[in-house]
Amino acid sequence: MGITGSLTPDQLEFYNSQGYLVIESFASEDEIGALRKRMDELLTQFDCSVSSIFSTKNQKNTTDNYFFDSAEKISFFFEEKAFGDDGELKQPKELSINKVGHALHELDPLYKEFTYSSKVSSLVSSLGYRRPVVMQAMYIFKQPGIGGEVVPHQDNSFVYTDPPSCTGLWMALEDSTLVNGCLWAIPGSHKNGLVRRFIRGENGVTFDRPSPSYDQKDFVPIEMKAGSLIAIHGDLIHQSFENLSAKSRHAYSLHVVESDGCKWADDNWIRRENMPEPLYAP
């Protein structure tokens, strides 16, 4: 396949033992600026009369056809606290969006170029993928003052193959700090396996079992500079808190799965006519 892995043995050892790995300066200032500028353009073009809300606390009640259709589109989701009692946005749409997803990496040329770059492919190759597919991409805003909490979860719950194969690639487009809602994780928790799945049936989506309770003292904060990327094992327990600060926390996130020897589960929330093209093939 002609792809050489970019991670060192020490980095791989840390990833395998802790369930995550931060790679500093993964993207340049120019790349960050271009991705952010392009998102500004997409937001300017977005007609916010078409609205959908994203929530990790109340996903079943806020999930709608707009959410399901987003698997193969560029769709915009608002923060839960973006609207007033009158149903109108309390502030400009640019400060009200929670995320944009989920086919951003396929349909927008700039995001596709970055996603399918050699640096992303080399990283994924280091993790042992033979025919990796990016099943979803998200631009996450974590808006100042209203950026919602993301409750403890595992990425394999939402992007499931048999056997499980998801890796999250989360890149900070702004400094991610304790103040503006950085990621937190339980190191080594990926070794305990998948605890529950988010499945789609005839009556919509639901988790197949209740969430375990987690002790907050087990989580460690993962602060990151803009341009840094964290690789997250699909079974790692991670979360982020609300952003109550005056500073946003933009990020670009990908979820990669193996398509060589791993079957995409039919009851995933993502249902597609055609699978995305692989980052590379053997």
Side-chain angles (χ1 to χ4, degrees):
M1 60 189 173
I3 300 294
T4 302
S6 57
L7 298 181
T8 67
D10 285 346
Q11 287 176 313
L12 284 171
E13 181 180 1
F14 185 93
Y15 176 81
N16 290 329
S17 65
Q18 302 300 303
Y20 67 91
L21 175 71
V22 174
I23 304 167
E24 296 182 356
S25 302
F26 186 83
S28 68
E29 290 185 12
D30 287 346
E31 288 173 318
I32 295 169
L35 292 172
R36 294 192 61 182
K37 180 182 178 182
R38 179 56 183 150
M39 184 50 62
D40 288 342
E41 295 169 352
L42 292 172
L43 279 174
T44 298
Q45 299 165 11
F46 167 56
D47 176 8
C48 63
S49 64
V50 180
S51 64
S52 184
I53 293 173
F54 179 78
S55 169
T56 63
K57 287 184 173 181
N58 196 25
Q59 189 65 68
K60 184 174 182 179
N61 292 334
T62 60
T63 296
D64 49 27
N65 287 334
Y66 186 82
F67 176 79
F68 290 137
D69 291 344
S70 72
E72 296 184 86
K73 296 180 179 180
I74 298 175
S75 302
F76 299 76
F77 299 89
F78 287 102
E79 293 281 2
E80 285 188 279
K81 295 181 179 180
F83 297 91
D85 294 337
D86 59 358
E88 299 296 322
L89 289 176
K90 295 189 288 185
Q91 51 195 359
K93 63 182 179 181
E94 293 81 7
L95 296 174
S96 304
I97 294 290
N98 171 289
K99 70 174 184 177
V100 175
H102 289 92
L104 190 59
H105 63 299
E106 297 176 81
L107 301 181
D108 184 85
L110 181 66
Y111 282 90
K112 183 173 184 177
E113 179 183 7
F114 183 85
T115 301
Y116 283 81
S117 65
S118 59
K119 68 171 70 179
V120 173
S121 293
S122 294
L123 168 58
V124 171
S125 175
S126 289
L127 299 176
Y129 285 87
R130 286 178 49 79
R131 188 182 175 89
V133 172
V134 179
M135 286 305 300
Q136 65 175 23
M138 297 176 288
Y139 189 108
I140 304 167
F141 293 83
K142 203 74 165 181
Q143 300 285 7
I146 63 169
E149 174 187 7
V150 177
V151 298
H153 67 282
Q154 299 168 298
D155 291 339
N156 271 327
S157 296
F158 300 91
V159 187
Y160 184 78
T161 60
D162 182 17
S165 67
C166 181
T167 298
L169 304 178
W170 191 100
M171 188 173 77
L173 299 175
E174 296 182 292
D175 291 352
S176 176
T177 69
L178 288 171
V179 175
N180 68 357
C182 70
L183 299 179
W184 293 68
I186 302 179
S189 56
H190 64 299
K191 297 177 181 178
N192 298 324
L194 184 61
V195 297
R196 64 175 183 164
R197 287 193 55 216
F198 184 69
I199 56 177
R200 179 176 173 182
E202 294 181 358
N203 298 317
V205 291
T206 186
F207 285 101
D208 61 354
R209 64 192 68 183
S211 174
S213 59
Y214 298 103
D215 192 332
Q216 288 299 321
K217 70 176 178 56
D218 294 332
F219 286 86
V220 299
I222 305 173
E223 295 186 284
M224 296 167 57
K225 291 290 187 183
S228 297
L229 178 143
I230 181 172
I232 303 172
H233 189 285
D235 285 343
L236 184 77
I237 305 295
H238 59 289
Q239 65 177 0
S240 66
F241 296 111
E242 287 184 286
N243 180 13
L244 302 178
S245 77
K247 183 76 171 66
S248 58
R249 192 220 65 187
H250 290 199
Y252 182 50
S253 175
L254 306 172
H255 287 108
V256 181
V257 298
E258 179 62 85
S259 64
D260 184 358
C262 294
K263 182 181 182 299
W264 181 251
D266 293 335
D267 56 359
N268 276 311
W269 79 265
I270 299 176
R271 294 182 180 173
R272 301 184 47 121
E273 292 292 331
N274 299 294
M275 292 289 281
E277 64 178 280
L279 294 178
Y280 56 80

